[in-house]
Amino acid sequence: MDCRPVAVVGYENAELLDIACVTTSLDMANGLGRLRTPYQVMMVSPGQHAISCRPGMLLHSTHALERLTGPLDTLIVSGGFGHAEAAANPVIVAHVQRLARISRRVASVCTGAYVLAAAGLLDGKRATTHWSFADTFAARYPGVDVDPGPIFIRDGKISTAAGITSALDLTLAFIEEDHGVELARQVSRMLVTYLQRPGNQAQMSMFTAAPPPGHDAVRRVVDHVNANLAGDVSTVALAAIAGVTPRHLTRLFLTHMGQTPGRFVREVRVAAAAHLIVSTSLPLAEVATRCGLASTETLRVAFTRRYGIPPSQYRARHRGAHSNRG
């Protein structure tokens, strides 16, 4: 019987969830789908040695990285706190590079992107990793177009997932691509998760992002913007609330928020619109009004720039996901 060989690469101090989200989903697809071409899931590590996964777990491998041959359907490199050592290990990097050449598709989860980048597989490509590592990743690999926003990115045959449970979304996308949306739906129901979050959904929403900044004036402005999206939140008005000049407020925001007040307002408005689009049935015109956007066209342009798809398509995708919850 034909199969789809999938190699999941782990290493010392890999993240267990990065691995399990992939292996469990694929194994479940095999059982639910009675597939003509089932996934042959292989847990791979250097020397086929058992690897430590925090906290205090030992994971055994089925194959040695050095002796694995292809062709492979999919090569997936997991992330974890051992990623820096893995990316600096010439044996791991060389064999990931070798196996990538004989794989139909290649992917990383979380900081596994460091290993792909060290192997030169992300040069000139758009990629993501866990938001908390994005700046360090971009500085270490300037040839990679790093986008810390989406939960996963596909660029050609290479995919990168943001981290931890985003591996679930990426694996469900692979299952849908290989065997259709119905099997992906069945797997998601068994996992009691959404059918699939779109890859361009943000890693963090306005409700789970970092807490307000420590600077009192900036914090007052942030709180005011979040509570008054439909009001006057121009830089001049916000500067008055902060008790500083507009120019000084811009300097404070660049220092403490990494962006101008105007850009912060736009991002919060679009994030709030995304929340309303998913959680309510409000017409898009009403969503735009509540979020301080001048019109549905303004909403469409800003939303498409941020999420890559128009609001109507975003709502349709998320409604499908909600309707398929277990």
Side-chain angles (χ1 to χ4, degrees):
M1 178 184 292
D2 292 334
C3 64
R4 295 178 182 270
V6 178
V8 181
V9 179
Y11 43 80
E12 193 67 11
N13 287 321
E15 171 55 53
L16 185 60
L17 268 178
D18 286 3
I19 297 168
C21 283
V22 175
T23 58
T24 298
S25 300
L26 296 180
D27 182 64
M28 197 166 287
N30 284 343
L32 291 171
R34 298 183 180 87
L35 304 177
R36 290 186 177 181
T37 54
Y39 297 104
Q40 178 192 358
V41 183
M42 298 173 284
M43 182 62 223
V44 180
S45 68
Q48 199 179 339
H49 296 308
I51 59 175
S52 297
C53 297
R54 297 181 2 154
M57 297 183 182
L58 197 64
L59 181 64
H60 292 275
S61 299
T62 60
H63 293 74
L65 177 64
E66 302 88 335
R67 295 195 296 273
L68 188 63
T69 58
L72 296 175
D73 181 78
T74 309
L75 174 70
I76 302 176
V77 180
S78 60
F81 284 101
H83 69 272
E85 291 79 4
N89 186 318
V91 173
I92 293 177
V93 171
H95 285 286
V96 165
Q97 195 175 54
R98 172 182 65 85
L99 293 171
R101 289 195 293 268
I102 54 175
S103 299
R104 180 173 70 91
R105 63 189 171 201
V106 178
S108 65
V109 179
C110 195
T111 49
Y114 279 71
V115 178
L116 295 189
L121 298 171
L122 298 181
D123 290 346
K125 291 188 176 294
R126 184 166 166 257
T128 194
T129 189
H130 193 287
W131 61 268
S132 65
F133 290 92
D135 289 344
T136 304
F137 181 61
R140 185 167 301 178
Y141 300 105
V144 182
D145 180 10
V146 180
D147 185 348
I151 56 175
F152 67 82
I153 290 173
R154 303 182 71 170
D155 190 336
K157 80 170 194 175
I158 297 181
S159 300
T160 49
I164 317 296
T165 58
S166 66
L168 206 57
D169 302 286
L170 181 61
T171 308
L172 286 170
F174 286 163
I175 293 170
E176 180 178 337
E177 175 186 303
D178 297 340
H179 301 289
V181 67
E182 177 57 24
L183 180 58
R185 185 189 70 82
Q186 291 179 38
V187 173
S188 72
R189 285 175 60 84
M190 290 299 293
L191 293 170
V192 196
T193 187
Y194 291 116
L195 171 61
Q196 180 191 329
R197 292 177 293 176
N200 52 16
Q201 182 172 323
Q203 292 188 37
M204 293 192 301
S205 72
M206 61 183 290
F207 307 106
T208 58
H215 192 282
D216 287 343
V218 177
R219 185 172 62 250
R220 286 200 305 275
V221 170
V222 168
D223 291 342
H224 179 81
V225 170
N226 283 322
N228 298 276
L229 288 179
D232 182 3
V233 286
S234 64
T235 300
V236 172
L238 296 178
I241 290 170
V244 298
T245 65
R247 180 175 295 182
H248 187 52
L249 181 65
T250 298
R251 285 197 295 265
L252 288 174
F253 259 70
L254 288 171
T255 299
H256 295 279
M257 302 294 290
Q259 58 189 329
T260 64
R263 181 171 180 179
F264 172 76
V265 168
R266 288 193 297 273
E267 289 192 354
V268 172
R269 279 175 162 166
V270 174
H275 176 70
L276 289 176
I277 286 167
V278 172
S279 62
T280 75
S281 297
L282 289 171
L284 294 182
E286 178 66 17
V287 170
T289 298
R290 290 194 183 193
C291 296
L293 298 164
S295 65
T296 53
E297 178 60 16
T298 302
L299 170 63
R300 187 192 66 79
V301 171
F303 202 93
T304 303
R305 184 183 298 120
R306 175 63 185 84
Y307 292 104
I309 56 176
S312 56
Q313 187 176 346
Y314 189 86
R315 171 172 273 173
R317 286 189 181 183
H318 279 266
R319 278 182 172 171
H322 279 279
S323 66
N324 286 297
R325 294 177 70 175

